[in-house]
Amino acid sequence: PRPAPAAPAQLPQLQDLRVISTQRLVAPAVLKDRLPISAQAARTVHAGRTAVENILAGQDGRLLIIVGPCSIHDPAGAMDYARRLVRLRGELAERVEIVMRVYFEKPRTTLGWKGLINDPHLDDSCDVEAGLTLARRLLGEIVDLGMPTATEFLDSIVPQYIADLVSWAAIGARTTESQSHREMASGLSMPVGFKNGTDGDCQTAIDAMRAARHPHSFLGIDQQGLTSVIKTTGNATGHLVLRGGRLRTNYDPPSIAEAARGLAAANLPPGLMVDCSHANSGKHHARQELVWQSILEQRRDAPKAGQASPIIGAMLESYLEGGKQPIPGQSEALRYGVSITDACLGWKETESLLRAAAEDA
């Protein structure tokens, strides 16, 4: 008799070896149907984008100010801040263009809370669908007030859910070198600021600006959440954001001049923004005021030298109360209006700096 055929060899498992689970998300189009943009919000977003573009093009001489919490963790506190800021924005609108910083994603050097979209309950449950819903609802409420918003896009899928509510976007220091973020920026519908690298060097950001100005094709998702090839036209509104680095600050006049020369050598528009926080302030929130005063002084002195200042904008990390706090074991123990990531200026100091900028304009 013939021998029985050998049993087929068991193939080794080759995928999902370190994946615990996979959960499908609501499609962008579905979330937008649930939380549609209002007519007022659409007008606010469009007007904010137009104002920023005009400032970047040199057609509007006002200082662009991106100001708000390091990150959003409490929608109630964010709305409290937005109501205060929109009143001040209206009062100072002839001299400065104020856009609220509304950041939902936090890049981490090692570990830590990744932001409201990733972990809205602050308990490592990572309820991303709830986070996206909270983020979209909050942005809608803020722009309904007449307050344009700014955010950093870290995950390339997130813009499909919230980008229609954003007037200015940032690509952070850790992701400016990333090809996927440059591709994403090439298709974003708003002006994009590229931060210099964490070492303080500007060349990476300048390279990113050049790359994002060109058309790209890359993988992404469409409004139905299906994997798609995204083709873009390129984004000519990219600009440099100086945030300092491990090796240096870069807001002083020689650093500004050096950055302007780098932009000119790359045939890029000269306008740049200075981030008063991060490495420029040495992570000390109170030192943001020193950077702020330097910016205003440089803008004030430039015409005396017969030239226009390349500084078109500034960024402040600011919240209701100054400083920061750790995330406690129970969210009820959080102090209201205090940042849980980088330390921020309090509202009183923020209002004083914004009024000083308007008076200096």
Side-chain angles (χ1 to χ4, degrees):
R2 295 181 179 178
Q10 181 91 20
L11 293 177
Q13 185 175 346
L14 299 176
Q15 65 183 26
D16 293 342
L17 294 177
R18 297 180 178 88
V19 174
I20 297 172
S21 66
T22 302
Q23 180 180 356
R24 290 186 177 177
L25 279 176
V26 60
V30 174
L31 184 58
K32 290 178 177 178
D33 283 342
R34 294 176 187 170
L35 297 169
I37 186 171
S38 70
Q40 169 62 34
R43 287 190 289 268
T44 298
V45 173
H46 181 264
R49 291 177 179 177
T50 300
V52 175
E53 289 171 2
N54 288 339
I55 290 170
L56 290 170
Q59 299 168 3
D60 183 339
R62 293 178 301 162
L63 181 68
L64 171 62
I65 301 173
I66 310 295
V67 57
C70 173
S71 60
I72 301 296
H73 71 274
D74 173 21
M79 285 304 299
D80 186 350
Y81 185 95
R83 293 186 188 98
R84 301 185 194 194
L85 190 62
V86 76
R87 288 193 292 268
L88 194 58
R89 167 184 161 82
E91 184 180 341
L92 307 180
E94 290 187 5
R95 295 181 174 271
V96 292
E97 173 67 16
I98 298 174
V99 178
M100 181 172 166
R101 178 185 167 109
V102 189
Y103 279 34
F104 299 115
E105 302 178 86
K106 294 302 297 180
R108 312 310 308 194
T109 302
T110 52
L111 298 173
W113 183 65
K114 296 180 182 178
L116 189 81
I117 287 178
N118 184 273
D119 187 18
H121 310 305
L122 282 71
D123 59 1
D124 291 326
S125 58
C126 298
D127 187 353
V128 173
E129 186 159 322
L132 287 168
T133 301
L134 271 175
R136 183 166 181 85
R137 180 180 292 117
L138 178 61
L139 284 170
E141 291 175 356
I142 291 173
V143 293
D144 270 336
L145 295 175
M147 184 77 249
T149 63
T151 199
E152 177 180 339
F153 287 124
L154 182 59
D155 189 295
S156 60
I157 291 175
V158 166
Q160 296 286 55
Y161 290 89
I162 63 172
D164 57 320
L165 294 162
V166 174
S167 292
W168 182 91
I171 304 298
R174 297 170 183 82
T175 46
T176 290
E177 196 168 4
S178 159
Q179 175 173 290
S180 61
H181 287 81
R182 295 174 178 189
E183 292 169 342
M184 175 183 67
S186 76
L188 289 175
S189 298
M190 73 291 293
V192 178
F194 292 90
K195 290 197 172 183
N196 63 262
T198 55
D199 61 356
D201 183 70
C202 296
Q203 191 58 50
T204 298
I206 290 172
D207 291 344
M209 291 170 59
R210 294 178 62 192
R213 293 170 74 87
H214 291 273
H216 289 276
S217 298
F218 55 94
L219 293 176
I221 65 167
D222 64 12
Q223 287 296 300
Q224 284 65 49
L226 298 176
T227 304
S228 307
V229 176
I230 311 295
K231 293 181 178 291
T232 68
T233 62
N235 189 341
T237 64
H239 51 283
L240 178 61
V241 182
L242 300 178
R243 48 88 74 195
R246 291 187 305 271
L247 306 178
R248 57 182 290 194
T249 59
N250 55 12
Y251 66 87
D252 55 279
S255 294
I256 297 294
E258 178 186 343
R261 287 193 297 270
L263 291 170
N267 294 316
L268 293 170
L272 56 85
M273 179 181 290
V274 175
D275 180 354
C276 296
S277 185
H278 298 99
N280 274 336
S281 64
K283 289 283 188 176
H284 294 284
H285 62 286
R287 292 182 185 171
Q288 291 185 83
E289 184 172 355
L290 299 177
V291 185
W292 187 261
Q293 296 301 336
S294 177
I295 292 168
L296 298 186
E297 182 178 349
Q298 290 179 64
R299 279 176 57 90
R300 186 168 57 244
D301 290 347
K304 300 175 185 176
Q307 58 190 17
S309 172
I311 302 173
I312 55 87
M315 182 182 294
L316 286 170
E317 288 193 332
S318 152
Y319 198 22
L320 299 173
E321 303 291 338
K324 66 177 181 178
Q325 62 183 322
I327 300 176
Q330 299 294 325
S331 60
E332 295 80 7
L334 281 171
R335 288 180 289 145
Y336 179 72
V338 180
S339 173
I340 63 170
T341 47
D342 289 351
C344 294
L345 292 170
W347 175 254
K348 181 179 178 181
E349 296 81 8
T350 301
E351 182 176 2
S352 176
L353 294 184
L354 296 183
R355 289 189 181 280
E359 291 171 3
D360 219 51

